[in-house]
Amino acid sequence: MAIRPAEQLIHKAAWLYYAHGLRQDQVASQLNISRASVAMYLRKARETGIVNISTSTQLFTDDVLARKLEDALHLDAVWIAPENDHIADPSTEIAVLAASVFLELVKKGDRIGVAWGRTVYMIADIMSYADLQDVTVAQLCGNLGAPYSYRPDQCTMEIARRLNAKGLNFYAPLVLSTEELARALRAEPVIREQLSGVGECDLALYSVGAVDADSHLVKCGALTPSEMAELRKQGAAGVIAGQIIDAGGKVLDCSYNRRVISAELASLRAIARRLMVVQEDSKFEPLLAAIAGGLCTHLVVGARMAQRLLDHAAATTEKAS
Amino acid sequence: MAIRPAEQLIHKAAWLYYAHGLRQDQVASQLNISRASVAMYLRKARETGIVNISTSTQLFTDDVLARKLEDALHLDAVWIAPENDHIADPSTEIAVLAASVFLELVKKGDRIGVAWGRTVYMIADIMSYADLQDVTVAQLCGNLGAPYSYRPDQCTMEIARRLNAKGLNFYAPLVLSTEELARALRAEPVIREQLSGVGECDLALYSVGAVDADSHLVKCGALTPSEMAELRKQGAAGVIAGQIIDAGGKVLDCSYNRRVISAELASLRAIARRLMVVQEDSKFEPLLAAIAGGLCTHLVVGARMAQRLLDHAAATTEKAS
DNA sequence: CACGGCTCTCGACAAAAGTCAAACTGGACA
DNA sequence: TGTCCAGTTTGACTTTTGTCGAGAGCCGTG
């Protein structure tokens, strides 16, 4: 990890330019190189996270709607991505926002737990690089050899790479074929240690999955569409870190869940900051379930979803009174 | 604290430009304003800390010398500002570095204790703005009505202003004329509360003062040159947050110290991260005393001072063996 | 209602930064 | 030793950004 001479130069150029406010040609003459090289070094510095340019995400919390949602759902912070007509792709907007929010929440020395899914991977993919020292990114659930790029281990590793952090992968499959095997595996020292480490995380990043044929669990072969439909009838409302939860946000009592190797919900709740990001409007019920289960303290959603959540909360309190 | 419409625009422009990577003219057409206005908004955004551009200070820790110092003095981290011939003003360089380091160490929700002095004020003055929410900057010692701009309360307030944080000033003078009065004042609920709050700080920022006629304490009239000389004879080695310490880093047993209203050294040591910045080469002995007293976990110094510290440490261990 | 004083905005120009093909390095290898 | 290659570095060019003075709107005031 010793700094290579080339990197030295990048650091120096970045320092002179960004911290001292010199112009590129001044930096160039200080370092005895051409201005073009300086420009190149600076680009590298930005790309690798040697310099960090971050914009405050205040704008998205200062929304009245966001404040109301925080109150109504008892969340620590809510960010709402606008979904006007002239915004090309709301779901990308949400991911960009989520990436910014995430970077704002990460601190040096943190241990971060990440789950997986299209959303999480999209955030990882969009996220800018940062040079955080002493950060660990830990996988929250077992692996699934999916034909997609967003496998659990890939989500973890990509985020670790972006933050220049240590990636901690899970050495187990997400689902096993029998409950005994899952139990036995969970008792393995390596796995047990990893699972118990979840509660020591300072920050979690995940989304919530839908309980339908489009779910990752189905796409990746962990469950068949009919099994999924059956679970739904039994009360499945959402998927968190590979586990099925009911409308109350509790682990559903079913064979599938007993065969899963993943972080216990109690461990997740022990994480101080739990950032949940939901892109799809269709994930309304799953999100409600996750919130009911206290699985989220920080929330990033689109404007439509936010409105729906607020309407629902209002209707619920009205009914109660 | 509600966002004004103008600030809304600044936020939006900053977001589109920095987070989405649009060009200024694209931002301008999105927001239906001229490109010149966008440029102006972006400057404001940078100036007010809505966007944060920070460069990693790795370069200055990755120095071999820095590593050795960390080991030799048992410090958590050391940053060394270069002092080559072509660096115009080493002391400014140290302050710039210290400001960056400081911003890197601050986290949201932190409570920060700051002492005072030329160095601290210079850091505050040089420090770029940031939009940290939920940060408190607390004054570590009583006030001194000095004919300088770097009064204790001003150091505190300026840093608070830069971070967009809450400033917590001390409602007491630094030195009183009698010990009784100091004791009585320390017992006052307001003051007592403030003093006991020091230990709850997450981060401290201070320098160490010299024990000579140039000391702030003398310049500001807290002590006469001859009193200072007398204290020196009694073993005074440095000044920390307005208090005189001996070579071992302990509070010197003297009337002056008993008349001072300031954070107890034990409270200071209870702060997890203690950033000490020393600009002047002449403050070698005071710095040694501060380090001996465990008053510093993170250190920013110039190259010459670093070398001297290391030589001293080597000599000391040699003698011991 | 006309008048300064004020802020905000814009167009045009100047300055700075980004980019690219070509030249140049310093090994690795035949 | 020569040649090839991958990665830098550079000068020249283009694009983007910063700035400044002029003008437009907008108060409170005489």
Side-chain angles (χ1 to χ4, degrees), chain B residues 55-113:
Chain B
T55 61
S56 152
T57 55
Q58 274 243 40
L59 180 57
F60 305 97
T61 351
D62 265 11
D63 208 317
V64 187
L65 189 52
R67 281 286 147 78
K68 282 188 193 162
L69 260 190
E70 287 167 21
D71 287 353
L73 304 176
H74 309 292
L75 300 176
D76 289 347
V78 173
W79 288 263
I80 299 178
E83 290 175 306
N84 312 333
D85 341 318
H86 60 271
I87 282 178
D89 183 359
S91 82
T92 303
E93 186 72 17
I94 292 174
V96 171
L97 175 57
S100 269
V101 167
F102 176 73
L103 285 172
E104 222 170 87
L105 289 175
V106 179
K107 299 179 303 190
K108 268 186 201 164
D110 272 357
R111 185 189 172 92
I112 304 164

Side-chain angles (χ1 to χ4, degrees), chain A residues 54-117:
Chain A
S54 63
T55 62
S56 151
T57 55
Q58 273 244 39
L59 181 56
F60 305 96
T61 350
D62 265 11
D63 210 317
V64 187
L65 188 52
R67 281 285 150 79
K68 284 189 191 162
L69 259 189
E70 286 167 20
D71 287 352
L73 304 176
H74 308 292
L75 299 177
D76 289 347
V78 174
W79 289 262
I80 299 179
E83 289 175 307
N84 312 333
D85 342 320
H86 61 268
I87 282 179
D89 183 359
S91 82
T92 303
E93 187 71 17
I94 293 173
V96 171
L97 176 56
S100 270
V101 167
F102 176 74
L103 285 173
E104 223 169 88
L105 290 175
V106 180
K107 299 178 302 188
K108 267 188 204 164
D110 272 357
R111 186 188 173 93
I112 304 164
V114 304
W116 66 298

Side-chain angles (χ1 to χ4, degrees), chain A residues 158-189:
Chain A
E158 183 59 24
I159 290 178
R161 197 171 70 86
R162 299 275 172 151
L163 302 182
N164 202 359
K166 203 169 64 176
L168 215 70
N169 281 111
F170 221 109
Y171 302 127
L174 176 62
V175 209
L176 297 161
S177 43
T178 70
E179 296 180 18
E180 288 103 60
L181 188 48
R183 238 186 333 264
L185 202 50
R186 270 192 223 107
E188 271 300 300

Side-chain angles (χ1 to χ4, degrees), chain B residues 139-150:
Chain B
Q139 192 174 326
L140 286 180
C141 60
N143 279 302
L144 202 46
Y148 299 96
S149 55
Y150 50 81

